[in-house]
Amino acid sequence: MSYSSPDLDPAPCCETVPPLDQRPPGAHPKVLRDELVAAAQWVSHYLAEVPAGAVYRSMPPAHRQRLREPSLASQGQELGRVLDFVREEIAPYPTGNGHPAFFAWVNSPPAPAGIIAELLACAVNATCGMGENALMDLERGTVRMLADLAGLPDATGGVLTSGGSMANLLALATARTWFLAQRGAGDGPAYDRDHARLTLYYSAQAHMSVAKAAACIGLPAYRLRPVPADHGDRLDPAALRTAVSADRDAGLLPFCTVTTLGTTATGAVDPLEPVTVLCRETGMWHHADGAWGGLGAAVPALAPLYQGISGIDSLTVDPHKTLSVPVGCGALLVPDPAHLHTAFAHHASYLTADEPDALPWLSHATIELTRPGTRALSLWATLNHLGRDGVTALITHYLTLADQLRERITAEPRLELLAGGPWPVVCFRITDAGSGDPDSLHTRVARRVQVGGRAYLATVNTHGSTVLRACLCNYRTTSNDLDLLIREVLHATHTHTDTDGGHPTASHQTTRR
């Protein structure tokens, strides 16, 4: 079939011009099918080979520069070049979180069900912000599934987000709107005066996204109150009460307290009930940042720590952390979803819904209008592949691995286990640091382990010291990987370096066996 246009010169008689829907960005159905099959085969092979490869590879400067400064050719490339590019230019240099010996941060590998669902959702390409479509209703359903696992009330609603940072931002913006509405501030000078006195409280162990979210809603740093933690790194309710009382006496307006369920540094869980009691007494909103540990109530071993979770005002959960949903899937859960609509519902004539009985669009519960349906389908697929028992078993697997790692550290005289948990975060230090600076040693050791490529861990500053920290959040990690990590740390401890950057003098960049 040839294509012609009165505005274009006709194609030469010896050429066959493809139909418009087969020109880029379109593709012939057979070409698309063949490339999808090739991509699926590569993905399966790639995931199977990840455990045998290096966790981390340093990217050559020239390669890094080539990715940063690409040039776009006049003529388009064949569709197959996409797979070639990923295989040659991207896949050899991952973050490393797909590898079972990656322990640095709370970044999980992608669950197979989520990978399949991401592709399918991309093909459907529905937006989950406006209109009515099946994926929007599926998002409402998956939010309810998360709320049920978290132990929140039946009426809970919410939205899926890009991650915990966005969920925390939505939560603080919602809390602000609710609080000022309770005071009847309206939109005039009273609103400005009250907003200028808003004060936020959170544990000193809270994730940095909380302070970042506060900045985004216009709260300056001098009205943020990092509350001291107790000996177990949990927010101290007595210190919180003292801080709130002092600020109220000074004429400020305490409007929200953020607790953390599974701190990034040590895996601690803040007490919920005493914070909620204080929030009810003082008219504050209680938001719980459970990006890492928001589903702990579903696990019998952790459930006692989650007493009172049904009484909070909002909860952040990151399925791409706890459940291995592919990256880009967080959630904000709100027992009374009307608060979200009050904070974010905006209307425009070009977006008027035709169905008067339809549910509010999800764009009215967040700041996004165009929203990907991949989040809902990949979460739904992963949850249904796991089942409720599978969710419990997955988290329990991480807890068990953490306990095993703690046992190995305790049994090694050259290492010292530090307090942590209950979430699977293990902090430890090197005991034979010599006369040098222990903080610098731990930083160098972590870098040497990373560059070695066989395992990957990071450091964290806790109780004034920089120590080694391992997070357990990979469903493919086994006890053998824990042994490997210990060996790599001990090897790196006694490796001489040419530079402070921690690059070993003897090559240790071998693949994992």
Side-chain angles (χ1 to χ4, degrees), residues 8-63:
L8 299 174
D9 293 333
C13 60
C14 57
E15 294 184 11
T16 300
V17 180
L20 273 177
D21 66 351
Q22 293 178 23
R23 296 184 187 182
H28 189 282
K30 183 180 184 306
V31 173
L32 177 60
R33 181 175 64 249
D34 290 347
E35 292 304 326
L36 286 172
V37 169
Q41 290 174 338
W42 178 83
V43 166
S44 178
H45 176 75
Y46 171 78
L47 293 175
E49 293 298 314
V50 163
V55 185
Y56 169 81
R57 294 180 181 89
S58 297
M59 193 181 307
H63 186 92

Side-chain angles (χ1 to χ4, degrees), residues 177-189:
T177 299
W178 169 83
F179 180 84
L180 293 176
Q182 293 293 106
R183 291 181 57 83
D187 294 325

Side-chain angles (χ1 to χ4, degrees), residues 55-429:
V55 185
Y56 169 81
R57 294 180 181 89
S58 297
M59 193 181 307
H63 186 92
R64 191 183 298 274
Q65 190 74 10
R66 188 164 64 250
L67 293 176
R68 290 176 176 176
E69 299 180 3
S71 59
L72 184 62
S74 297
Q75 298 298 314
Q77 297 179 334
E78 295 293 329
L79 202 58
R81 179 54 187 146
V82 176
L83 175 56
D84 294 339
F85 178 77
V86 172
R87 180 172 50 219
E88 298 163 11
E89 307 287 336
I90 303 300
Y93 308 104
T95 304
N97 53 296
H99 199 286
F102 181 90
F103 303 96
W105 307 298
V106 189
N107 294 125
S108 302
I115 295 173
I116 297 169
E118 289 267 327
L119 170 63
L120 299 176
C122 283
V124 174
N125 201 37
T127 174
C128 285
M130 53 192 174
E132 289 295 322
N133 61 70
L135 281 176
M136 185 141 29
D137 281 323
L138 184 65
E139 177 167 341
R140 295 181 178 110
T142 55
V143 162
R144 273 297 320 136
M145 294 166 77
L146 286 178
D148 182 53
L149 287 168
L152 297 181
D154 292 342
T156 298
V159 288
L160 299 181
T161 68
S162 59
S165 295
M166 179 57 71
N168 285 339
L169 173 57
L170 296 179
L172 293 194
T174 302
R176 175 188 61 182
T177 299
W178 169 83
F179 180 84
L180 293 176
Q182 293 293 106
R183 291 181 57 83
D187 294 325
Y191 179 95
D192 295 336
R193 287 194 298 270
D194 283 357
H195 196 286
R197 294 188 290 155
L198 294 179
T199 310
L200 175 70
Y201 305 82
Y202 51 86
S203 167
Q205 299 294 318
H207 191 267
M208 67 173 184
S209 63
V210 176
K212 186 184 293 188
C216 288
I217 66 168
L219 267 65
Y222 66 84
R223 280 191 276 118
L224 307 185
R225 301 289 185 266
V227 179
D230 64 15
H231 65 280
D233 293 329
R234 299 162 300 199
L235 181 147
D236 184 346
L240 172 64
R241 183 175 287 274
T242 298
V244 170
S245 178
D247 284 336
R248 295 182 78 190
D249 290 344
L252 296 176
L253 296 177
F255 82 104
C256 178
T257 295
V258 180
T259 50
T260 305
L261 309 180
T263 60
T264 306
T266 63
V269 174
D270 288 341
L272 292 171
E273 286 186 312
V275 173
T276 299
V277 168
L278 178 60
C279 286
R280 297 298 169 261
E281 291 176 0
T282 56
M284 286 193 293
W285 182 281
H286 181 184
H287 173 63
D289 179 7
W292 178 210
L295 301 182
V299 183
L302 297 175
L305 299 174
Y306 288 76
Q307 291 293 322
I309 194 168
S310 62
I312 64 176
D313 296 299
S314 57
L315 172 68
T316 288
V317 176
D318 263 5
H320 66 208
K321 287 184 171 69
T322 315
L323 301 176
S324 278
V325 174
V327 166
C329 183
L332 176 64
L333 310 178
V334 182
D336 186 350
H339 294 313
L340 287 175
H341 302 148
T342 301
F344 298 109
H346 281 70
H347 300 276
S349 60
Y350 48 83
L351 295 174
T352 301
D354 293 327
E355 301 179 36
D357 296 329
L359 292 173
W361 291 353
L362 289 181
S363 60
H364 293 325
T366 180
I367 64 175
E368 297 176 295
L369 178 58
T370 302
R371 307 175 61 253
T374 51
R375 298 168 184 164
L377 192 59
S378 59
L379 174 56
W380 176 90
T382 304
L383 283 172
N384 278 273
H385 191 220
L386 284 168
R388 181 179 289 272
D389 290 346
V391 170
T392 301
L394 180 62
I395 298 174
T396 300
H397 172 62
Y398 299 148
L399 298 175
T400 300
L401 287 173
D403 286 342
Q404 292 175 354
L405 180 57
R406 293 179 183 113
E407 291 171 358
R408 284 161 168 77
I409 292 169
T410 301
E412 172 52 59
R414 290 168 289 180
L415 302 176
E416 179 184 356
L417 178 67
L418 303 175
W423 276 84
V425 181
V426 180
C427 296
F428 60 105
R429 70 179 190 92

